[in-house]
Each structure stands twice: as structure tokens, then as C-alpha cells.
Amino acid sequence: MAKIKMTTPIVEMDGDEMTRILWKMIKENLLEPFIELNTEYYDLGLEHRNETNDQVTVDAANATKKYKVAVKCATITPNAARMTEYDLKEMWKSPNGTIRAILDGTVFRAPIVVKGIEPCVKNWKKPITIARHAYGDVYKGSEMKIPGAGKVELVYTAEDGTQTKELVHNFTGEGIVQGMHNVSQSIASFARSCFNYALDTKQDLWFATKDTISKKYDHTFKDIFQEIYDAEYDEKFKAAGIVYFYTLIDDAVARVMKSEGGYIWACKNYDGDVMSDMVSSAFGSLAMMTSVLVSPDGYYEYEAAHGTVQRHYYKHLKGEETSTNSVATIFAWTGALRKRGELDGNSELMEFADRLEKATIDTIESGKMTKDLALITTIENPTVLNSEEFIKAIGERL
Ligand code: NAP
Ligand code: MG
């Protein structure tokens, strides 16, 4: 068989710990035998980030602007323990945060649905993709404890000095207060990323806020989405046969529970934080969750939603066998390869991505899986494979 060629590279961001081990196995067993893999390689492993003063992360993000498609392995976000473990010069920032700040994107998280790993919500048949607006609101809020009686106001001072005031509360005793903000530019980017991704994946887009109560703050989110939809996306959505659906957040939650899935749910920052954990745990496993950062300019960065699986890595270092699930990392690669194929008009590459996903799902549905899935599957007597055996079983099927 002739290997599939790639005209344009994918930006490849290597990572840390157990996922770095899986990364190499996936390339050797599932990609390189079939594709003349064309990537621009960036080593985001913590040691190399430290050596380059984290410049490698910035370079990788800029390369993503150049080539439009990236695939990323999970990486360590340093904390105090990692400072000593890796003898770090500085507590480097989260690579995902750095990359997102450069690409200005929205993260879409979607579960990989297989027969035999049933969601807790029995009517969920198709994936529910959560898009979380990752800027502002309570995450960039300022807060005060109010010690006693007194007045709290919002004050806006324009550049020319004119002031606008709004009473928050006349306190008669102790209390608390919070100020938060968002910027129209960021909301508009979020909206465009969501509309684009809905078109890309041919799924309906749902969005919800509490605009009836928050008549200025939340209502602005609703208005910006609607204005952009009407001006730029209405025709495209109709042509694609998909729908943009806005409702109140509590109504959305009730409808989501009764739906069969198969749509994108755009969420404000806090709603996305909460709902993405609910949806991922209800679908079964963090190891079966993919994640893609989509920028409003059309850059795509694919990764697994889970971390570096540190506990398994330490077992691996001690020479013990591991059974780490590589599905989300495989789907990060297929996502990137399919997008590369789509942008380059390379249908062979797109077909390969479909086949690798099917081989992965078929392997699990035939009863061969890693330990985390064996513990929750409805398939009787599953065969538990170790990290490498599972990848090889997919390779055989492919
Ligand atoms: P984690 O790597 O997601 O793993 C937490 C636990 O979830 C594991 O110990 C394991 O449970 C289970 N798990 C996760 N992925 C699995 C898989 N593929 N196969 C089987 N089991 C899986 O989270 P963490 O241990 O809290 O974080 C480790 C490092 O990852 C941290 O340094 C953190 O900064 C980083 N992180 C990176 C990203 C990213 O790059 N996007 C995201 C999150 C965290 P059992 O031990 O019970 O088997
Ligand atoms: Mg959360």
C-alpha cells in the first residue's frame, strides 16, 4: 500500500508523562505505517519548556497561525510540587492558557460515543458538545466583603471624565459584593467560533443565558449572538440544514436532559465550567472526551480533554504494566488529520481519519478495551488490554 501524502504540515505539540508515551505509540502503530506524516514538531514537554523559557509554547502557537491545524498532547501545568520535581526556573503558565491567549479561541469538548459505554442519561444517543466562553464574568471579577452599613455603587468614568453611577445596594449591615465584566469583542469572537464550528460539524447550535433577569449583562450576550447570526450566518445555516436556537438557561438545562444529543451547547463561562463536567461524567469517562480550540480566524488545535495521567506514568516508570486509555488522544490526531485533509482538498487523508476512528470504536465494541472502560462497560466479559496492546489491537483492525 502506498502511504498517504500530506502537502501541508500539521503543528505537532508533544507533551508530558503517560500521554507522551501514548503519543509515540500512536504515531508508530497507527499513523506512520499509513501516512507520510508531515508535521512541524514542537516539544512542549516540561523540560523543554523550561530550557526555552517557555518560548517553545509561543512558537507552537504562532506556527498554528501559519498552518491553521495543530494537534497537542496533554502537558503538565506546573505547581509547587512540579517546581521541585523538574527543578524549574519559573512556575511556567499553563500551555493551554498561553496558546488560547495567542489564538483567541473557544474550546469545544465532545464525548466519543461507543456502544457498551452507555451515558447515565439513557435518552442521550449522540454526543453533546459544550462550547465554553473562556473570558471574563466571575473568573475576572473583583469582590469585597462589606463590613457594615454603607452604600455600594457601580461607577463608570469615561475617558472625558463624565461619570455614570448605578446603585448596587444600600447595606444596613454586613454583606458581600461582586463586580464583573465582559467585553463585546470577546463575546463576538465566541459567537463566531460557535457558528463556524456548528457549520463545520453540521450540528445545531444552542445558546442560553438568563436575559430575563439580567436585562443588560446577559441580554448583551443574547443580542450579540443574534446580530451576528442574522448578518453573517442565517443563510449558511439554512443551506446546511442546521438551526441556531436561543433559550433561557434553565429551559436549556431541562431540554438538554430530555434530548437525544447531537448538538453544540454554547455556554457562558460559569455555565460552561459547570455543565462540561456534568456532561463529561454523564457520558462515562474523561478518557473518552475530545477537545478542540477553534479560533474566530479559522485556526484549529485538537487535543484530549484529560491530563497527563501522572499516576499511571509513575507505575510505568517503576516498570509496572499500565492500561491507559488512548482513545481521546487518537481522536485528537484524527480531528487534526481530517481538518488538514479538508483544508488541502486531500480526501485520502480525510478517509483515513474516518477509518482510524471506526477501527478504534469497533475495537472497543468487540470487547477489547482498557481497564477504565472495562470497569463501566455493559459488554459482558470484556478483554482488558494494556496501553500498548490496545493500540496494537486498533492497528490490526485498521
Ligand atoms: P488526569 O491526567 O486527567 O488524570 C486523573 C485521573 O483520571 C487519572 O489518575 C486516571 O484515574 C483518570 N484518567 C484520566 N485520563 C485517563 C486515561 N486516558 N486513561 C485512563 N485513566 C485516565 O489529571 P491529573 O492527574 O489531575 O493531572 C495530571 C497532569 O495533567 C497535571 O500536571 C495537570 O496539570 C495536567 N493536565 C493537563 C491538561 C491538558 O494538557 N489539557 C488537562 C488537565 C490536566 P486512575 O488513576 O483512577 O486510573
Ligand atoms: Mg469545571
Side-chain angles (χ1 to χ4, degrees):
M1 194 192 108
K3 288 193 192 181
I4 299 166
K5 292 197 168 48
M6 292 172 64
T7 47
T8 324
I10 285 175
V11 177
E12 175 185 352
M13 309 184 193
D14 207 345
D16 289 300
E17 299 195 308
M18 200 60 211
T19 40
R20 188 179 179 99
I21 309 278
L22 298 178
W23 195 259
K24 190 159 175 278
M25 288 181 191
I26 291 168
K27 284 175 68 180
E28 284 175 4
N29 290 281
L30 303 179
L31 305 176
E32 285 162 355
F34 307 98
I35 306 174
E36 269 179 28
L37 203 59
N38 181 2
T39 70
E40 194 163 291
Y41 180 87
Y42 292 85
D43 183 1
L44 267 58
L46 186 51
E47 276 148 13
H48 193 239
R49 273 183 277 151
N50 192 51
E51 278 162 27
T52 62
N53 296 327
D54 209 23
Q55 184 59 39
V56 64
T57 309
V58 175
D59 292 346
N62 285 326
T64 306
K65 285 189 167 177
K66 180 168 171 200
Y67 295 116
K68 296 196 162 73
V69 184
V71 58
K72 180 179 167 291
C73 180
T75 46
I76 292 169
T77 298
N79 56 16
R82 301 295 198 172
M83 292 289 289
T84 3
E85 185 184 352
Y86 285 85
D87 192 18
L88 299 180
K89 295 186 235 173
E90 244 181 71
M91 204 184 284
W92 306 111
K93 285 192 200 140
S94 145
N96 288 37
T98 304
I99 295 165
R100 201 184 302 153
I102 293 173
L103 301 181
D104 174 28
T106 297
V107 173
F108 296 81
R109 258 188 171 202
I112 298 150
V113 178
V114 281
K115 284 193 210 89
I117 314 293
E118 306 301 331
C120 310
V121 182
K122 63 179 186 305
N123 44 286
W124 287 359
K125 305 275 183 255
K126 298 180 206 158
I128 296 171
T129 302
I130 300 261
R132 173 179 172 188
H133 181 217
Y135 177 82
D137 299 351
V138 68
Y139 302 85
K140 277 227 189 311
S142 55
E143 308 189 328
M144 268 188 219
K145 280 194 163 196
I146 305 300
K151 184 166 71 170
V152 175
E153 289 176 309
L154 291 177
V155 182
Y156 164 63
T157 311
E159 278 182 326
D160 69 4
T162 43
Q163 289 197 328
T164 317
K165 288 187 186 173
E166 182 72 38
L167 178 70
V168 177
H169 192 61
N170 256 320
F171 284 88
T172 53
E174 278 181 24
I176 41 180
V177 67
Q178 180 182 65
M180 59 185 195
H181 79 279
N182 222 297
V183 289
S184 302
Q185 162 79 46
S186 170
I187 301 168
S189 288
F190 175 52
R192 288 197 177 88
S193 293
C194 291
F195 290 131
N196 287 341
Y197 196 65
L199 284 168
D200 260 8
T201 58
K202 301 244 178 332
Q203 297 184 89
D204 290 348
L205 177 70
W206 292 22
F207 182 47
T209 73
K210 194 73 183 175
D211 66 276
T212 47
I213 301 296
S214 174
K215 291 189 168 58
K216 291 193 176 128
Y217 199 103
D218 276 23
H219 214 293
T220 300
F221 278 82
K222 178 185 178 182
D223 292 344
I224 290 176
F225 264 72
Q226 194 63 49
E227 281 157 21
I228 292 177
Y229 176 77
D230 291 342
E232 301 169 28
Y233 291 96
D234 188 44
E235 280 172 28
K236 291 179 192 158
F237 268 52
K238 283 184 180 136
I242 58 171
V243 172
Y244 168 56
F245 173 61
Y246 177 87
T247 186
L248 284 171
I249 184 69
D250 35 358
D251 181 50
V253 169
R255 284 172 189 261
V256 164
M257 291 311 284
K258 297 203 161 171
S259 75
E260 61 164 40
Y263 49 85
I264 297 164
W265 184 9
C267 290
K268 286 181 62 204
N269 210 348
Y270 177 82
D271 297 336
D273 185 348
V274 176
M275 294 307 166
S276 65
D277 286 356
M278 184 192 76
V279 168
S280 70
S281 82
F283 269 105
S285 167
L286 194 57
M288 297 292 281
M289 191 62 82
T290 57
S291 169
V292 53
L293 176 75
V294 181
S295 87
D297 307 305
Y299 313 130
Y300 295 79
E301 184 232 333
Y302 295 83
E303 67 171 330
H306 60 78
T308 60
V309 210
Q310 181 182 21
R311 212 178 62 80
H312 294 208
Y313 181 59
Y314 286 176
K315 279 175 70 178
H316 171 82
L317 287 182
K318 279 194 259 164
E320 290 172 34
E321 188 170 85
T322 59
S323 181
T324 314
N325 189 334
S326 46
V327 172
T329 308
I330 293 170
F331 274 64
W333 274 100
T334 54
L337 292 169
R338 185 182 295 105
K339 179 52 78 178
R340 180 78 283 159
E342 200 185 304
L343 295 177
D344 296 353
N346 185 343
S347 58
E348 269 191 310
L349 198 58
M350 294 170 74
E351 268 164 40
F352 174 78
D354 292 344
R355 281 180 199 192
L356 176 49
E357 288 183 358
K358 186 165 187 311
T360 306
I361 288 170
D362 288 350
T363 301
I364 298 169
E365 290 181 350
S366 78
K368 294 178 179 172
M369 59 192 80
T370 46
K371 193 174 156 197
D372 57 310
L373 296 185
L375 290 171
I376 57 171
T377 186
T378 54
I379 296 174
E380 276 173 45
N381 305 315
T383 311
V384 180
L385 302 181
N386 68 33
S387 306
E388 189 167 13
E389 285 165 351
F390 178 66
I391 290 172
K392 292 210 155 131
I394 298 169
E396 269 167 38
R397 203 168 268 275
L398 189 61

